[in-house]
Amino acid sequence: MLEKTGLSRRGFLGASAMTGAALVGATALGSAVMTRESWAAAVEDAQSKIHVGPGELDDYYGFWSGGHQGEVRVMGIPSMRELMRIPVFNVDSATGWGLTNESQHILGDSAKFQNGDCHHPHLSMKDGRYDGKYLFINDKANTRIARIRLDVMKCDKILTVPNVQAVHGLRLQKVPYTKYVFANAEFIIPHPNDGSTFKIDSPDSYTMFNAIDAEKMEMAFQVIVDGNLDNTDADYTGKYVASTCYNSEKAIDLGGMMRNERDWVVVFNIERIEADIKAGKFITLGDSKVPVVDGREGSQLTRYIPVPKNPHGCNSSPDGKYFIAAGKLSPTCSIIAIDKLDDLFDDKFKDPREVIVGEPELGLGPLHTTFDGRGNAYTTLFIDSQVAKWNIDEAVRAYKGEKLNYIKQKLDVHYQPGHNHASLCETRDADGKWLVVLSKFSKDRFLPTGPLHPENDQLIDISGDEMKLVHDGPTFAEPHDCTMIRRDQVRTQKIWSRDDPFFAPTVERAKKDGIKLEADNKVIRDGNKVRVYMTSMAPAYGLTEFTVKQGNEVTVTITNIDQIEDVSHGFVMVNHGVSMEISPQQTSSITFIADKPGVHWYYCSWFCHALHMEMVGRMLVEPA
Ligand code: K7E
Ligand code: CUA
Ligand code: CA
């Protein structure tokens, strides 16, 4: 945009009285030549739209994937302020996630992994609307799915999906409620994958579509597919889920994966799958008890719809009418009519492509599509570095032969966008206010930070006829995707409730030791194991010292008996790799080996009081 105006960005900013370099992308679109004055007006307009004043609250929560950093980030929209980070697949020094017994209990078998790669955060629903209960997110790196409770904004369940490698696409059942989390395993592997063969092009090599019981966070079923699986979305009837496949070739290299002009969208018939499982028509694999059904070509459980070429994003429109698959290596999107899927499954069509009712040509590298609830779709164009706004109904009519221009606008974004997401776009409440575009490259839009650049999350106002870029926001690796929910749709707790399941296993342990967590400050010796129980209340721990023997396995359990909102304490044992958060009314515990004799100080790490520095104690370790 700036290039077109003939003004350099820095020249413009330098010459103007405006501050706030974050607004450098601000643009009033449409005018080919802008004066310095009209630029200033556009920037002012943009700034007024996103300005959330000191003490004021945002309208939406945004939940951002932390990509291969492994966490979830909570943002305020439209300010784009980062509100909180929720550690999930990473280890977090501030809260002790991955270090505490409570988090290790939730991580289960996978606590041994200290990395993750999350892509797709999605919020639980009832009848196609957010119910404010949970956020689910995938871990591609270690094939996991996590659930976050929105009331406390902590991860409460993690499940490793068996028999597959790399969960990528993840979406939730929208209707009648989020009974299932649907998860695509991306990579094709031999079954059994025990080294007896390394070939992945045989019928014994495949990947699977996975359904997880959202409430129990247990596997519900797996479906064997042809090719591989990329992204997915569910419809608004509760019956169908669609997934893109880019490796229909079952190839092992780039050239091979691009051989076919068309790959496909595979549609899963959830009713039929459930019926087969109920009737006992399934197999199991290896040690796993998960019901597995065969959904390969010829199965009554799936249908394969050929689409061009290495398709990527898969999004259902909020009017419930369409699945839209983005072409990636084709400049098109394929529009699949959901109301034709019953007939497709009843074999009423000669050619499965009869369910395709539109194939708009949008530009180079279409990746993901989102919606404003007013009949328009917004598709990211990775190679063109643009977002294309197009009218779905007009694209469908054009496919039938009508002459019309379904493309409403193309807006430059900076640069190479992956996902985009409009406010409430995956629900019936799509409100067409804000569009977030997650751009992979920021190039020169921020102060340089060495070879590794931040990404650029841009906020676009889509409330009017034209998209207007209003904010650049640098982010760390790599928010593939995000989701937004109105602030009134989320109810958070201000302090923990003492009977919260988050620390229930620790409460159980204390009960066995005869400890009253809210009052007792005691050391329990159990052979080589020492359990130290104490309270914390600003600015003091219940114990200012405790004694153990060198080599003891020490578990420190602390209960924060402060009742006051925002008074979180911490516990750090110096030189022992021990750190944790204890928020008001929370119990946290951590286990470590006291391997060095001598005096070892512990201190409070979350600023809680004027005498926070003095909130300390000592572990005295007697030589063995
Ligand atoms: Cu396109 Cu993993 Cu959703 Cu990245 S995926 S962009
Ligand atoms: Cu307690 Cu700082
Ligand atoms: Ca392909």
Side-chain angles (χ1 to χ4, degrees):
M1 195 36 69
L2 278 152
E3 289 69 27
K4 286 182 199 154
T5 67
L7 279 168
S8 89
R9 185 173 86 210
R10 281 175 204 93
F12 162 67
L13 280 172
S16 93
M18 299 298 301
T19 53
L23 290 168
V24 290
T27 162
L29 232 111
S31 40
V33 179
M34 290 181 79
T35 62
R36 195 156 290 191
E37 288 69 31
S38 63
W39 247 109
V43 171
E44 197 161 1
D45 182 47
Q47 205 164 37
S48 72
K49 287 203 173 84
I50 62 160
H51 185 68
V52 178
E56 290 177 5
L57 303 180
D58 280 291
D59 295 330
Y60 301 83
Y61 286 97
F63 291 91
W64 257 237
S65 153
H68 42 299
Q69 194 274 342
E71 69 190 4
V72 167
R73 299 168 194 151
V74 188
M75 307 282 286
I77 313 295
S79 73
M80 299 286 275
R81 299 186 289 210
E82 188 183 281
L83 305 174
M84 186 46 64
R85 297 177 170 201
I86 307 171
V88 183
F89 303 116
N90 56 327
V91 173
D92 181 55
S93 169
T95 57
W97 184 260
L99 306 175
T100 62
N101 295 319
E102 296 70 39
S103 61
Q104 287 185 354
H105 181 81
I106 290 162
L107 284 152
D109 292 346
S110 75
K112 61 181 182 284
F113 297 129
Q114 303 194 332
N115 73 310
D117 181 11
C118 31
H119 289 228
H120 301 116
H122 292 287
L123 295 155
S124 58
M125 285 185 234
K126 194 167 180 264
D127 194 30
R129 300 193 153 85
Y130 290 141
D131 65 8
K133 278 170 86 174
Y134 300 121
L135 178 108
F136 297 87
I137 192 157
N138 71 301
D139 168 23
K140 178 168 165 174
N142 295 306
T143 318
R144 291 177 290 181
I145 292 166
R147 183 173 81 184
I148 288 163
R149 273 171 53 192
L150 294 185
D151 64 336
V152 289
M153 302 224 178
K154 296 281 187 200
C155 172
D156 81 324
K157 294 272 184 197
I158 290 184
L159 172 77
T160 300
V161 180
N163 308 323
V164 293
Q165 277 182 20
V167 167
H168 183 232
L170 177 143
R171 287 300 173 101
L172 310 177
Q173 192 171 13
K174 301 173 195 279
V175 175
Y177 66 102
T178 299
K179 178 180 175 190
Y180 295 125
V181 177
F182 299 114
N184 283 346
E186 185 174 345
F187 297 132
I188 299 164
I189 53 169
H191 291 273
N193 191 20
D194 58 3
S196 54
T197 178
F198 298 129
K199 285 199 183 319
I200 68 144
D201 56 357
S202 78
D204 290 333
S205 295
Y206 48 80
T207 191
M208 294 190 282
F209 172 77
N210 304 279
I212 290 93
D213 182 313
E215 199 55 51
K216 294 190 192 137
M217 279 297 276
E218 289 169 5
M219 291 299 300
F221 57 80
Q222 300 187 293
V223 185
I224 301 171
V225 293
D226 287 311
N228 82 335
L229 293 164
D230 191 358
N231 279 293
T232 184
D233 205 354
D235 74 349
Y236 284 84
T237 70
K239 241 186 188 156
Y240 299 115
V241 182
S243 297
T244 49
C245 158
Y246 65 80
N247 190 8
S248 64
E249 301 89 347
K250 288 180 93 171
I252 51 168
D253 58 10
L254 189 61
M257 291 179 202
M258 297 194 297
R259 200 184 317 121
N260 294 345
E261 275 316 303
R262 282 176 181 162
D263 297 281
W264 55 61
V265 168
V266 50
V267 182
F268 299 91
N269 187 319
I270 301 305
E271 279 178 357
R272 287 189 185 178
I273 293 167
E274 283 181 327
D276 268 17
I277 289 166
K278 217 171 165 192
K281 291 193 235 164
F282 61 82
I283 59 163
T284 57
L285 295 171
D287 304 335
S288 144
K289 295 196 174 60
V290 185
V292 174
V293 294
D294 195 336
R296 284 179 284 197
E297 190 83 58
S299 156
Q300 287 309 298
L301 309 178
T302 55
R303 288 294 180 268
Y304 290 81
I305 305 164
V307 301
K309 178 184 185 175
N310 290 30
H312 184 60
C314 183
N315 301 85
S316 56
S317 58
D319 58 10
K321 285 160 109 176
Y322 308 112
F323 286 125
I324 297 177
K328 194 164 79 183
L329 297 186
S330 156
T332 58
C333 277
S334 300
I335 306 177
I336 295 167
I338 291 170
D339 65 2
K340 291 187 174 219
L341 293 176
D342 283 352
D343 284 349
L344 179 68
F345 273 91
D346 290 339
D347 299 318
K348 300 252 170 77
F349 302 124
K350 265 202 226 98
D351 179 353
R353 279 187 54 85
E354 284 181 53
V355 301
I356 290 177
V357 295
E359 215 163 51
E361 194 168 323
L362 302 172
L364 295 182
L367 286 191
H368 294 280
T369 300
T370 187
F371 307 93
D372 63 9
R374 301 189 296 269
N376 300 306
Y378 301 75
T379 301
T380 50
L381 303 172
F382 182 82
I383 296 169
D384 284 341
S385 280
Q386 287 183 318
V387 173
K389 174 181 176 181
W390 53 284
N391 184 280
I392 306 171
D393 181 52
E394 289 175 20
V396 170
R397 281 157 53 202
Y399 193 67
K400 287 189 191 129
E402 251 184 84
K403 281 256 165 298
L404 35 78
N405 182 11
Y406 43 78
I407 292 184
K408 300 296 142 194
Q409 187 192 351
K410 286 188 178 180
L411 178 69
D412 291 344
V413 294
H414 312 85
Y415 303 86
Q416 269 71 41
H419 275 271
N420 60 354
H421 188 101
S423 39
L424 304 179
C425 64
E426 14 184 74
T427 73
R428 296 187 200 280
D429 297 325
D431 64 8
K433 290 202 171 129
W434 298 108
L435 173 67
V436 171
V437 177
L438 304 172
S439 298
K440 306 293 183 188
F441 295 80
S442 60
K443 298 187 187 175
D444 61 353
R445 289 181 81 86
F446 305 111
L447 286 175
T449 55
L452 185 61
H453 290 42
E455 306 197 356
N456 187 4
D457 298 348
Q458 294 187 307
L459 185 70
I460 293 165
D461 175 6
I462 54 167
S463 59
D465 284 340
E466 283 185 347
M467 295 184 271
K468 286 184 182 164
L469 178 57
V470 293
H471 188 80
D472 272 24
T475 46
F476 187 55
E478 175 194 356
H480 285 265
D481 198 2
C482 67
T483 187
M484 283 180 255
I485 177 169
R486 273 197 331 266
R487 76 183 204 215
D488 63 279
Q489 294 176 299
V490 177
R491 284 272 164 277
T492 57
Q493 297 184 34
K494 291 186 192 292
I495 60 175
W496 287 88
S497 141
R498 285 299 303 146
D499 55 6
D500 197 285
F502 191 76
F503 43 83
T506 310
V507 172
E508 268 311 297
R509 175 79 257 180
K511 222 181 257 168
K512 280 189 196 141
D513 280 340
I515 295 289
K516 194 168 180 324
L517 284 168
E518 300 81 359
D520 289 348
N521 294 290
K522 271 189 194 160
V523 179
I524 307 277
R525 294 175 205 278
D526 176 6
N528 193 40
K529 295 188 167 130
V530 179
R531 290 187 287 281
V532 180
Y533 292 94
M534 65 176 103
T535 57
S536 67
M537 187 176 214
Y541 293 114
L543 289 175
T544 51
E545 65 173 59
F546 63 87
T547 306
V548 300
K549 283 217 160 52
Q550 185 182 6
N552 280 168
E553 182 195 283
V554 181
T555 299
V556 175
T557 303
I558 301 180
T559 300
N560 182 346
I561 56 175
D562 272 305
Q563 303 262 12
I564 304 159
E565 186 181 346
D566 215 356
V567 181
S568 294
H569 299 290
F571 177 82
V572 169
M573 179 67 73
V574 174
N575 292 348
H576 282 77
V578 162
S579 174
M580 64 183 180
E581 161 206 1
I582 320 121
S583 279
Q585 296 295 302
Q586 184 179 13
T587 294
S588 304
S589 72
I590 192 160
T591 300
F592 58 95
I593 305 291
D595 52 2
K596 294 177 283 274
V599 172
H600 301 276
W601 286 84
Y602 52 87
Y603 69 90
C604 176
S605 50
W606 286 86
F607 209 108
C608 56
H609 193 275
L611 295 170
H612 158 78
M613 293 301 290
E614 288 82 350
M615 188 165 170
V616 293
R618 287 159 309 130
M619 173 174 73
L620 312 176
V621 182
E622 297 169 350

